[in-house]
């Protein structure tokens, strides 16, 4: 018995588990997925295991381009929108803070230079030159960490302003910015 090709298995699964209405409604995405399967198969690795490994690494992150004339919207990150223009742009969640310190929600760690002289009472031989530490607002209050903490914060603000500039300059006719009344603050 000959085993079916990866593309044939994909078509059988679609035919068996999706209703005709779902196949019509989701045709653009189904076709894009089938194109990915075909492209993968043509590279010579047509087995299910290799495809699933590729899918987890790369394929699941593939963007589906909307065909011209399709009544649809594009949803993309600000980074992916760089260099593009759209008639109308919506920017949700624009209340997020410019500097995202280490919290239970955000894991932010940097390498800090440690000046042994800023730690009186500790043998300088025991102080490592660099340490990975959480980025916290309080780091600026510690003489041993102040310079690196201020540098990190300035870099965060600069990156946030650059991203905001890209976001605000994508719209041709209309820009809609959505902010949270609380200013994006979360209770810790």
């Amino acid at each position: 018995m000959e085993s079916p090709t990866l593309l044939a298995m994909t078509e059988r699964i679609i035919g068996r588990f999706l209703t005709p209405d779902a196949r019509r409604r989701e045709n653009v995405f189904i076709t894009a997925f089938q194109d990915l399967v075909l492209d993968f198969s043509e590279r010579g690795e047509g087995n299910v295991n290799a495809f699933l490994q590729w899918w987890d690494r790369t394929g699941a992150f593939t963007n589906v381009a909307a065909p011209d004339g399709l009544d649809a919207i594009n949803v993309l990150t600000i980074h992916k929108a760089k260099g593009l223009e759209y008639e109308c742009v919506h920017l949700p969640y624009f209340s997020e803070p410019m500097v995202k310190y280490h919290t239970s929600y955000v894991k932010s760690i940097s390498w800090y230079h440690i000046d042994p002289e800023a730690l009186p009472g500790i043998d300088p031989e025991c102080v490592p030159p660099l340490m990975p530490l959480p980025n916290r607002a309080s780091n600026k209050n510690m003489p041993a960490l102040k310079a690196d903490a201020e540098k990190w914060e300035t870099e965060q603000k600069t990156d946030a302003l650059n991203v905001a500039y890209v976001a605000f300059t994508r719209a041709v006719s209309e820009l809609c910015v959505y902010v949270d009344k609380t200013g994006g603050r979360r209770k810790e």
Side-chain angles (χ1 to χ4, degrees), residues 78 86-92 94 163-178:
I78 295 169
Y86 296 94
E87 280 301 309
C88 179
V89 172
H90 291 257
L91 300 173
F94 228 79
V163 168
Y165 172 80
V166 169
F168 277 51
T169 58
R170 300 306 93 203
V172 173
S173 300
E174 185 177 6
L175 175 65
C176 302
V177 181
Y178 302 89

Side-chain angles (χ1 to χ4, degrees), residues 25-115:
R25 194 176 57 249
E26 305 296 334
N27 184 49
V28 171
F29 302 105
I30 293 169
T31 304
F33 179 72
Q34 287 174 314
D35 288 344
L36 286 172
V37 172
L38 180 62
D39 290 345
F40 180 84
S41 297
E42 287 176 347
R43 289 195 304 256
E45 293 187 79
N47 70 61
V48 174
N49 190 37
F51 176 77
L52 292 175
Q53 288 177 1
W54 170 83
W55 180 260
D56 287 341
R57 274 190 331 272
T58 307
F61 305 103
T62 303
N63 292 325
V64 176
D68 291 336
L70 184 67
D71 188 19
I73 62 170
N74 290 317
V75 177
L76 41 133
T77 65
I78 295 169
H79 293 287
K80 293 240 183 202
K82 190 173 182 178
L84 303 174
E85 289 183 338
Y86 296 94
E87 280 301 309
C88 179
V89 172
H90 291 257
L91 300 173
Y93 309 112
F94 228 79
S95 306
E96 291 296 313
M98 289 178 71
V99 177
K100 293 184 174 129
Y101 294 105
H102 186 88
T103 66
S104 58
Y105 298 105
V106 177
K107 302 299 180 210
S108 177
I109 297 174
S110 294
W111 287 91
Y112 282 82
H113 293 89
I114 306 297
D115 179 9

